[in-house]
Amino acid sequence: MKRILRGCSPHHHPYRWLVVNAFVLLWSAVLLARIFSATGSNNDDEKTRIELGYLVYNFGACAIWLVEVFFNVLDHKEFLHSEGATGEESLLRAPPAPERKKRTKKEVMGLWIEAALAAYFFLDSTTVAVHLSRGQIHKQSEGMTIDVCVNMAAYCFMVYRQFADWRAEGNNEEIAEQSSEVADGHSEGLV
């Protein structure tokens, strides 16, 4: 079970979450384009479809966020850590003891605040599903343009950060590989 959960962890497999977050970013862009295309329209059915699409998007984005935070919490609690299994390192791995007290309090506080926000917004988006009459759809989707823009900015940052981490991880592997080749070359010359 741990192996399956570990395979879903954003800190052990950031490229998978890069794809997930890029998908949400693309979904946000498509929804925003649909919102802008229907802005001047008097077609009430089209507006209702877009607003319903927004509510589904809101639920989906909140669910993905909650799952991602869930894996971050599991990783932080070292539930996903297995001694020497694959040699993978978690990006949230606790630092050595002297630094741990200072960094951990801020990281833990930020993680739990994010978890609380993700849970709140997920529950909020879930309760909206109960009110799917046309009038409630119009009421619940007020401010959707701002929400989608904020989500786009957040997911754009997430994609950038994960892409940068992924590239850095690849560069670190290349440097380690080159260092071992150089070390092998020097040791052969010494023998």
Side-chain angles (χ1 to χ4, degrees):
M1 180 67 162
K2 272 189 179 182
R3 188 176 186 104
I4 293 170
L5 292 175
R6 186 181 175 91
C8 298
S9 169
H11 297 285
H12 292 283
H13 298 284
Y15 56 90
R16 292 177 184 167
W17 283 93
L18 173 69
V19 171
V20 170
N21 289 328
F23 170 75
V24 175
L25 180 61
L26 180 63
W27 190 9
S28 302
V30 169
L31 182 60
L32 191 61
R34 287 187 65 207
I35 290 169
F36 285 138
S37 71
T39 299
S41 175
N42 291 330
N43 187 347
D44 202 35
D45 289 337
E46 179 65 21
K47 286 182 180 180
T48 301
R49 274 195 298 276
I50 291 172
E51 290 169 344
L52 182 60
Y54 162 74
L55 295 177
V56 170
Y57 159 82
N58 190 36
F59 175 78
C62 288
I64 289 169
W65 184 25
L66 185 65
V67 168
E68 190 169 4
V69 170
F70 169 75
F71 284 116
N72 289 340
V73 168
L74 287 180
D75 195 56
H76 181 74
K77 291 291 190 177
E78 296 186 0
F79 179 79
L80 302 176
H81 178 67
S82 57
E83 295 291 327
T86 61
E88 295 174 342
E89 291 287 329
S90 167
L91 299 177
L92 283 180
R93 192 74 185 269
E99 295 177 33
R100 188 174 185 174
K101 290 179 184 174
K102 291 179 184 175
R103 288 184 57 201
T104 303
K105 286 182 181 180
K106 290 179 183 178
E107 289 175 357
V108 169
M109 182 63 75
L111 184 63
W112 287 113
I113 288 172
E114 184 181 10
L117 287 171
Y120 170 78
F121 284 112
F122 175 75
L123 290 173
D124 181 59
S125 67
T126 303
T127 58
V128 169
V130 176
H131 305 289
L132 288 181
S133 69
R134 184 177 287 233
Q136 286 297 322
I137 288 173
H138 290 314
K139 184 178 181 211
Q140 293 293 333
S141 63
E142 291 175 2
M144 67 181 168
T145 306
I146 294 170
D147 184 45
V148 172
C149 289
V150 168
N151 283 351
M152 278 185 67
Y155 277 98
C156 190
F157 172 75
M158 293 283 290
V159 167
Y160 167 76
R161 188 185 73 196
Q162 287 175 324
F163 184 73
D165 288 347
W166 184 49
R167 286 196 62 196
E169 183 180 301
N171 289 340
N172 289 341
E173 289 174 7
E174 285 179 27
I175 291 169
E177 187 177 302
Q178 289 173 355
S179 296
S180 73
E181 288 174 4
V182 168
D184 290 342
H186 286 302
S187 65
E188 288 174 9
L190 295 174
V191 176

